[in-house]
Amino acid sequence: MKVVQAFRFALDPTPAQERMLWSHAGAARFAWNWGLARCQERYLAEGKWHSAPELHKLWNAEKKADPGLAWWAENSKCAYQEAFRNLDRALRDYVKSRKGQRKGRRLGFPRFKKRGKCRDSFRLTGAMRCSGSTVTLPRLGTLETCEPTFKLARKIDNGTARVLSATVSRTAQRWFVSFIVQVERDAAERHAWPGTAVGVDLGVKTLLTGVDDRGRLIEIAGPRPLRAGLRRLRRASRAHSRKQPSSAGRRKSAARLARVHARIANLRADALHNTTTALAARYETVVVEDLNVAGMVANRRLARAVSDQGFGAARRMLGYKTAREGGTLVVAGRWYPSSKKCSGCGSVKAKLTLAERVYQCDACGLVMGRDVNAARNLLSLAASGADRVNACGAAGRPGLGAGRAVLKQEPGTADAGQAGTAAHRGGCGMNANKRSCHNGKETT
């Protein structure tokens, strides 16, 4: 089975190499702006814009005719070509978004990029190698990395991986290279712990509350890095706002502020990777909710807490990690009342406010933590083997009854009706006291 996977390494360039990285990023930004201007000119005249091959042909003709563009040869030609392809893709996505053919929020028309106001990045293709703590990129030569690259180098040497492209980007004054690799991986015929299942409820108080098929409770608080670093972030933001524009002090304060933001993002990503890797490795069936993250972020009282936990990233990571381990990710429909439904008798409350952290059933008298009750209800979806109400995976109607669970299926996973529970074969090693698990940093 061939899958596309990303390997990301931090670079440690020399001053001369760093100048070349800045030059390539500027070349990609210039190519984007140049191509966008040509597309706008043609659209005003003919009602359509240039494609990526057409822009590349126009660029080859103009760069030779205009003496002011003689600097183009200082950078790899891939920086210009890939910028045109990115622009072509952005224009196509804009059209699909306007026609309603693209999921997600509606996209606007591509804008011009300004130095210091956009992300510095460029993409390269061609012959690329990894060895030890170095990477070799076209035109840039061999660059040192801050960590060994043997994991990718071994796959390339064995012939089980092929590098498709490399994207070099800058984050908080540090340069990174991300290799997009086509990897040949043996498809997992069965999970290491067949028959195991866990219901997972994501929350703002705790990162994850789960109940597995043996009735064990899993609670992972999560680092909440934004809340922990909010004081430092506020001080850095205020100091940056007081600096004189275009001054050396403002550039230093901007670098300091970017480092604070990068640290918060890294802490959040590390916690999510550790948690999702442990769940995917230890449970065959993982049941989560289809949360309306965009709607939750729109609530100004919840936006910071929801963003700090990273609900969307957790769902995405569980999607590909369960498939990689031979498991199944079952997604409960958005209208499934996991929090309002009693896990004991099945009755559903008409109203349950966010302030009520303890669930009290009026029918059977069950008293339980709100998140624990929701996790038990989600686990019942895996154990019931109920058929999916909506086979296409679309959102269900608000009027669905409590017993009719709307289920969705993640790409590459088995049908929800195939999910079941059986006797646990061995221990899982995750408990409420120790949450340590192996670190998995690859992304697909």
Side-chain angles (χ1 to χ4, degrees):
M1 179 179 65
K2 293 183 178 180
V3 297
V4 178
Q5 185 173 341
F7 291 81
R8 188 168 182 256
F9 305 102
L11 297 176
D12 185 18
T14 64
Q17 291 173 337
E18 187 171 6
R19 286 193 293 270
M20 294 181 64
L21 294 175
W22 281 106
S23 178
H24 278 73
R29 182 175 60 250
F30 178 87
W32 170 283
N33 293 336
W34 183 90
L36 182 57
R38 301 290 87 75
C39 288
Q40 289 181 344
E41 292 174 1
R42 184 179 183 184
Y43 189 83
L44 292 176
E46 305 177 20
K48 58 181 180 180
W49 43 67
H50 296 285
S51 63
E54 293 173 345
L55 287 174
H56 191 207
K57 187 179 297 185
L58 292 174
W59 169 253
N60 287 338
E62 184 164 343
K63 71 183 182 183
K64 298 176 182 178
D66 189 357
L69 298 177
W71 51 265
W72 73 269
E74 300 175 0
N75 308 296
S76 173
K77 63 178 182 181
C78 299
Y80 308 98
Q81 294 175 356
E82 297 301 324
F84 295 146
R85 291 175 182 174
N86 290 342
L87 176 60
D88 184 42
R89 188 181 303 109
L91 291 171
R92 293 177 184 273
D93 289 343
Y94 165 71
V95 174
K96 291 180 181 179
S97 180
R98 287 195 61 185
K99 294 181 179 179
Q101 301 174 356
R102 187 182 186 276
K103 295 182 179 179
R105 61 182 180 85
R106 187 167 180 176
L107 298 180
F109 192 80
R111 298 180 179 180
F112 290 97
K113 296 182 178 181
K114 183 178 180 181
R115 183 179 63 180
K117 300 294 184 180
C118 66
R119 183 178 178 84
D120 294 316
S121 66
F122 58 94
R123 187 183 298 118
L124 300 173
T125 56
M128 289 168 279
R129 298 187 301 274
C130 299
S131 177
S133 295
T134 62
V135 294
T136 303
L137 302 176
R139 199 58 183 272
L140 295 172
T142 302
L143 295 88
E144 295 284 341
T145 59
C146 298
E147 55 189 324
T149 62
F150 64 87
K151 193 169 185 179
L152 175 58
R154 189 187 307 119
K155 295 180 181 293
I156 296 176
D157 295 339
N158 296 337
T160 59
R162 183 170 65 92
V163 179
L164 303 178
S165 65
T167 301
V168 182
S169 60
R170 186 181 67 90
T171 301
Q173 288 69 52
R174 296 186 67 188
W175 290 92
F176 298 85
V177 58
S178 179
F179 292 101
I180 304 300
V181 185
Q182 188 180 57
V183 182
E184 293 183 5
R185 179 181 296 156
D186 296 335
E189 297 181 359
R190 58 182 303 179
H191 195 269
W193 304 101
T196 55
V198 62
V200 176
D201 179 73
L202 301 174
V204 296
K205 295 292 184 180
T206 59
L207 173 63
L208 179 148
T209 301
V211 177
D212 63 11
D213 55 311
R214 297 185 65 182
R216 287 186 293 190
L217 177 63
I218 303 168
E219 287 185 337
I220 300 178
R224 288 198 276 187
L226 179 59
R227 180 178 179 179
L230 192 59
R231 182 172 180 269
R232 182 183 301 176
L233 181 63
R234 284 172 172 168
R235 293 186 64 179
S237 299
R238 286 196 296 265
H240 178 66
S241 65
R242 295 189 183 109
K243 297 296 186 293
Q244 187 70 19
S246 302
S247 64
R250 188 174 179 85
R251 288 193 296 269
K252 292 180 181 179
S253 64
R256 188 182 306 111
L257 179 61
R259 287 194 295 268
V260 176
H261 278 291
R263 175 177 172 79
I264 292 174
N266 291 338
L267 289 174
R268 181 185 300 115
D270 183 70
L272 291 175
H273 272 295
N274 291 337
T275 303
T276 54
T277 298
L279 287 176
R282 297 168 186 177
Y283 296 101
E284 183 182 23
T285 303
V286 182
V287 188
V288 296
E289 290 181 285
D290 180 25
L291 298 175
N292 182 16
V293 180
M296 298 171 71
V297 172
N299 186 341
R300 65 183 181 88
R301 300 182 184 274
L302 287 176
R304 179 183 296 168
V306 171
S307 302
D308 199 11
Q309 296 288 39
F311 290 168
R315 159 82 177 278
R316 177 183 61 83
M317 292 178 184
L318 282 173
Y320 71 80
K321 289 182 180 181
T322 51
R324 183 175 63 191
E325 298 292 338
T328 304
L329 177 65
V330 179
V331 182
R334 185 166 296 179
W335 304 110
Y336 178 70
S338 60
S339 298
K340 297 181 179 180
K341 181 180 178 181
C342 176
S343 59
C345 64
S347 61
V348 181
K349 282 192 172 184
K351 185 178 181 181
L352 184 67
T353 63
L354 288 175
E356 299 180 50
R357 305 313 305 173
V358 177
Y359 184 88
Q360 297 181 355
C361 181
D362 300 330
C364 66
L366 176 70
V367 179
M368 184 179 294
R370 175 195 181 107
D371 296 339
V372 179
N373 178 71
R376 290 182 60 180
N377 287 326
L378 293 173
L379 177 63
S380 65
L381 296 182
S384 65
D387 295 333
R388 289 176 295 154
V389 174
N390 197 325
C392 297
R397 300 185 304 275
L400 286 173
R404 300 179 60 193
V406 181
L407 304 181
K408 290 188 178 181
Q409 176 192 359
E410 288 296 298
T413 59
D415 291 338
Q418 298 177 1
T421 59
H424 186 75
R425 298 172 176 83
C428 74
M430 179 181 286
N431 52 57
N433 296 326
K434 294 184 179 180
R435 308 297 179 210
S436 60
C437 44
H438 295 291
N439 194 359
K441 294 299 181 64
E442 306 97 42
T443 57
T444 56

